[in-house]
Amino acid sequence: QVHLVESGGGSVQAGGSLRLSCISSGLVPSVACMAWARQLPGQEHREPIASINPDGRTTNYDWSVKGRFTISRDDSKNTVYLQMDSLKPEDTAVYYCAANLNCRGGIDYWGQGTQVTISS
């Protein structure tokens, strides 16, 4: 059974930084693509914002966060990170960790989410 547990959310002022962590269990890090998505207030869907391949070097970002957010992984700790800098009020959302077990198709597992609130 795969479990993803996020942490690191909270409230900061605009311009500040936060680092989210996602600890995984039950998957094989060497073949799993990992990602972060967020659900903005009032929206029902989760929008992918960053992903990282098993090699740890291939990353992709949504235009809304590119240049401000950095995804990374430490497979020795079964952990994926999302470093968020230059935060804006519009980044306020619930952030979810996600796993694609074999880097094929869509997301296989989601975490429970962590709230990030940015005040102006």
Side-chain angles (χ1 to χ4, degrees):
Q1 185 71 17
V2 175
H3 289 99
L4 305 174
V5 180
E6 303 98 333
S7 61
S11 298
V12 297
Q13 290 190 328
S17 298
L18 282 173
R19 188 176 81 156
L20 305 183
S21 299
C22 170
I23 298 178
S24 66
S25 61
L27 54 80
V28 181
S30 61
V31 298
C33 285
M34 302 299 295
W36 289 93
R38 66 186 181 186
Q39 185 169 356
L40 300 176
Q43 289 189 352
E44 294 186 358
H45 67 279
R46 300 171 185 175
E47 55 181 35
I49 55 172
S51 65
I52 187 166
N53 281 15
D55 61 13
R57 297 186 298 272
T58 305
T59 57
N60 288 286
Y61 297 93
D62 183 75
W63 66 269
S64 62
V65 304
K66 195 169 187 177
R68 300 188 298 122
F69 291 10
T70 303
I71 188 171
S72 61
R73 62 194 294 165
D74 184 343
D75 290 343
S76 68
K77 298 180 180 179
N78 293 328
T79 303
V80 178
Y81 303 98
L82 185 67
Q83 177 67 42
M84 306 187 295
D85 299 316
S86 302
L87 284 161
K88 306 175 182 180
E90 51 264 43
D91 293 319
T92 294
V94 179
Y95 285 72
Y96 295 89
C97 178
N100 180 334
L101 297 185
N102 296 300
C103 296
R104 297 175 182 174
I107 297 298
D108 296 304
Y109 292 94
W110 294 94
Q112 83 287 352
T114 185
Q115 177 69 47
V116 171
T117 303
I118 312 302
S119 58
S120 57

